[in-house]
Amino acid sequence: MRYMFSLSVLLLIVGAVRLAGCGDDPKGETIDHGWGDPERIADGYDPDLAVNASGSAVAVWLYYGGADSEVWAASFAPEDGWGTPERIATYDGFARYPNVALDPSGNAVAVWQHDRRDQRYEVWAAAYTPADGWQAPVSPDSDFAGDTFEPSIAMLTLAVSTSSEIG
């Protein structure tokens, strides 16, 4: 039942992506969008979604393929819709708690917990750029002797303006 609820949440979130950007844009033009029809992008559970101000989005979720737990992702561009879902990690053991963050340029980082069969817990991450796609996952805590649990991630982009006027 939890899996069906999670998939339903993912479908609901997909519809919400189309709502992002409603209202007035910074140029003063009115954008007349609305709720789009839900679109199924894949089977899976425990989804997370990040959306930026331009309406781009990245979704990550888990899929249990029998003996292995897999981390999957798909990106959304307002002009093209959802891209093809792709597996970004497969584990002997279980992946849990996927989380994703997205910056204004469409770059993303996904993190998740890997429960190894030897009872160790690790955090893994993969980076995404619109030009290159998903990079191979890495474990940022590979030198840490202990366990790490339930990762989360956020991105902060600072805008810096300069002025030559002194006044």
Side-chain angles (χ1 to χ4, degrees), residues 3-165:
Y3 302 129
M4 291 305 293
F5 176 74
S6 294
L7 182 57
S8 298
V9 169
L10 182 59
L11 290 172
L12 180 61
I13 291 171
V14 169
V17 168
R18 295 178 186 239
L19 184 61
C22 288
D24 294 333
D25 76 0
K27 297 176 187 170
E29 299 170 6
T30 299
I31 301 172
D32 187 19
H33 294 301
W35 284 94
D37 294 328
E39 182 179 342
R40 180 177 180 197
I41 57 174
D43 289 333
Y45 62 98
D46 205 6
D48 190 42
L49 178 76
V51 182
N52 65 18
S54 68
S56 295
V58 173
V60 294
W61 63 92
L62 302 177
Y63 178 79
Y64 183 66
D68 296 321
S69 181
E70 302 171 351
V71 181
W72 284 75
S75 60
F76 177 88
E79 61 278 359
D80 299 323
W82 284 102
T84 303
E86 61 184 292
R87 184 178 56 207
I88 59 174
T90 301
Y91 291 103
D92 180 24
F94 294 95
R96 298 178 191 235
Y97 313 113
N99 195 283
V100 65
L102 182 67
D103 75 7
S105 300
N107 302 304
V109 176
V111 295
W112 59 91
Q113 176 181 314
H114 173 211
D115 297 0
R116 295 177 11 180
R117 294 207 188 275
D118 65 359
Q119 304 303 309
R120 291 283 320 278
Y121 305 98
E122 302 172 322
V123 168
W124 283 78
Y128 170 85
T129 64
D132 298 322
W134 287 99
Q135 305 303 306
V138 297
S139 178
D141 63 357
S142 61
D143 294 330
F144 182 64
D147 292 326
T148 50
F149 301 90
E150 299 184 34
S152 62
I153 190 162
M155 287 187 169
L156 174 65
T157 302
L158 299 175
V160 178
S161 64
T162 59
S163 174
S164 60
E165 286 186 35

